[in-house]
Amino acid sequence: MPGIDECLLEAMALPGALGASLVDWTSGLALGTAGDSPVGDHETTAAETAELARSAAEFDSFTTAADGPGAGPPVEDLIITTRAGYHVLRFVETSFDSSVFLHLWLDRDSGNLALARLRLRDLAERLVLG
Amino acid sequence: MSRAAVSPMLVRLAAEKATGALLRDHGTLYLVDGRVVHAESPAAPGVDVLLTTGGRLPREGWDEAVDRAGAHRAVGRFLVDSGRLHDGELEICHLGAVFDAAFFALSPTSGPTRFRYGVGHWFGTVRPVSAEAVERETVRRRELLDAVWPYAAVDTAPVVPRPASPGQTVGARQRVLLAAADGERTPAELARLLGRPAFHTLLDVRRLAAAGLVETPLAPEPAPPPQAFLPALPVADPDIALLRRLRDALEAHL
């Protein structure tokens, strides 16, 4: 039954993990951080990734009725690939009103995107379901 | 960019690793060893509202936790240990509530700031945050609000929805907010009703106002400029100078 820090440490144990954080996408607040930020400042990264997550969570094209009803946004994760790395943003669904996601930053050469995506899904569930 | 401290007293208390309650006009911050462990403000819904409104926790479950663990200052811990809540949920919810209340507690005020040494909060410690992080986040939030829509009047006025332009869309969370805005409820009242942090609601209202989907009330009439004073004349004593001239003039006619 992990808390925020245990969850981030587990994410950092993934191959190629460079940085991890739990971010609130309404406000841009980092609730917890581990490892590094691509810009050397977790708070800046949190504010920037929050804008991205908010767009995905709120734009109609990603939240159509076809995805069915649910508590949180139907978007599950966002994947950004850059020349040097991967970023996976995984939405965390809570049964009270919240707007948080996990952000994992991976090294492109040593990271495994498919594995990271699966593990992050698992971590996002265990973070709130125990 | 240099930023003035939000609360010089908070900076000092953090440096001396103080434990107690920092009381300000709009809320209270609780410190343990100089770190912020809890905050509350009448403007921000508490953890109980956040957890019970959405149905995550029945009100009785909350009340029982307060009854059984409040005296030991361990309500948060009890919620987890008794299986009512998971660690991650407690931390996410409580941290959100702490930064939310701190934002209002640290809002600019002319009132007094007092510190009561040794006073703790019955909720107990969940995840302490450095006072510096709380201050920095509070400043960031103020700047964020103004960057979105620099009209603070929408923060406290009743939220009055406006019709969307053709083709204009609104996100799901903001749709819920608009649906609850009956033209009378303020952002703080909407936050409580929806079980959302108050700052998040302010931010959504400012975003909606910027998109033209919520009325922006006219700013109150600007205060009249301070009375302009005439520059003082460089006369040591004008009355005596005047009297002398009058006397001279009268003598000339004698």
Side-chain angles (χ1 to χ4, degrees), chain B residues 7 11 14 16 25 32 44 51 68 74 78 81 84 90 114 120-122 125 174-175 177 182 216 222 228-229 233:
Chain B
S7 164
V11 174
E16 68 178 56
D25 268 359
V32 171
L51 287 175
R68 304 230 346 229
F78 182 83
D81 291 345
R84 286 172 170 80
L90 174 68
R114 295 185 306 278
H121 192 275
W122 48 261
T125 297
Q174 297 183 346
R175 262 200 304 277
L177 185 62
D182 59 359
T216 299
F229 290 102
L233 294 169

Side-chain angles (χ1 to χ4, degrees), chain B residues 12-191:
Chain B
R12 205 171 62 240
L13 292 165
E16 68 178 56
K17 299 195 188 309
T19 295
L22 180 69
L23 292 85
R24 288 171 57 98
D25 268 359
H26 302 292
T28 304
L29 260 57
Y30 293 85
L31 309 183
V32 171
D33 298 334
R35 291 166 76 79
V36 178
V37 294
H38 195 73
E40 54 188 19
S41 163
V47 177
D48 58 330
V49 175
L50 300 178
L51 287 175
T52 57
T53 303
R56 175 62 190 88
L57 205 65
R59 179 45 79 168
E60 310 84 70
W62 170 267
D63 290 343
E64 199 202 336
V66 174
D67 286 346
R68 304 230 346 229
H72 314 296
R73 291 183 185 163
V75 172
R77 199 64 252 152
F78 182 83
L79 286 169
V80 171
D81 291 345
S82 61
R84 286 172 170 80
L85 220 54
H86 297 295
D87 271 314
E89 289 180 298
L90 174 68
E91 291 180 359
I92 291 169
C93 187
H94 185 251
L95 274 178
V98 166
F99 278 101
D100 194 36
F103 173 77
F104 295 98
L106 293 175
S107 60
T109 171
S110 53
T113 299
R114 295 185 306 278
F115 190 70
R116 300 241 166 89
Y117 281 91
V119 172
H121 192 275
W122 48 261
F123 193 80
T125 297
V126 176
R127 204 169 189 277
V129 191
S130 78
E132 192 214 347
V134 171
E135 287 227 330
R136 215 168 41 235
E137 177 64 11
T138 297
V139 172
R140 191 188 70 83
R141 288 181 174 209
R142 281 186 206 159
E143 291 172 351
L144 180 58
L145 284 180
D146 282 340
V148 168
W149 189 240
Y151 300 92
V154 300
D155 295 353
T156 46
V159 180
V160 181
R162 300 178 77 230
S165 318
Q168 190 174 18
T169 59
V170 187
R173 291 179 60 80
Q174 297 183 346
R175 262 200 304 277
V176 172
L177 185 62
L178 283 175
D182 59 359
E184 291 182 3
R185 296 184 179 120
T186 62
E189 287 162 348
L190 288 167

Side-chain angles (χ1 to χ4, degrees), chain B residues 100 147 150 184 194 200 244-245 248 254:
Chain B
D100 194 36
E184 291 182 3
L194 299 173
H200 291 44
R244 277 197 186 125
R245 269 168 41 218
D248 292 346
L254 286 174

Side-chain angles (χ1 to χ4, degrees), chain A residues 1-6 8 22 24-33 43 47 51 54 57-60 63 92 94-100 126-130, chain B residues 50-51 54-56 80 85-89 91-93 95-96 99 127 133 136-137 140-141 144 169-175 194-197 199-200 203-204 207:
Chain A
M1 190 178 294
I4 295 172
D5 287 332
E6 293 84 351
L8 294 177
L22 181 72
D24 175 289
W25 53 262
T26 304
S27 65
L29 167 71
L31 297 172
T33 60
E43 287 173 22
E51 280 298 300
R54 191 168 66 86
E58 300 204 323
F59 283 163
D60 274 359
T63 56
V92 178
T94 59
S95 45
F96 55 93
D97 190 283
S98 73
S99 52
V100 291
R126 283 200 291 131
L127 178 61
V128 291
L129 298 178
Chain B
L50 300 178
L51 287 175
R56 175 62 190 88
V80 171
L85 220 54
H86 297 295
D87 271 314
E89 289 180 298
E91 291 180 359
I92 291 169
C93 187
L95 274 178
F99 278 101
R127 204 169 189 277
R136 215 168 41 235
E137 177 64 11
R140 191 188 70 83
R141 288 181 174 209
L144 180 58
T169 59
V170 187
R173 291 179 60 80
Q174 297 183 346
R175 262 200 304 277
L194 299 173
R196 292 181 180 179
F199 172 78
H200 291 44
L203 188 55
D204 272 336
R207 282 174 177 147

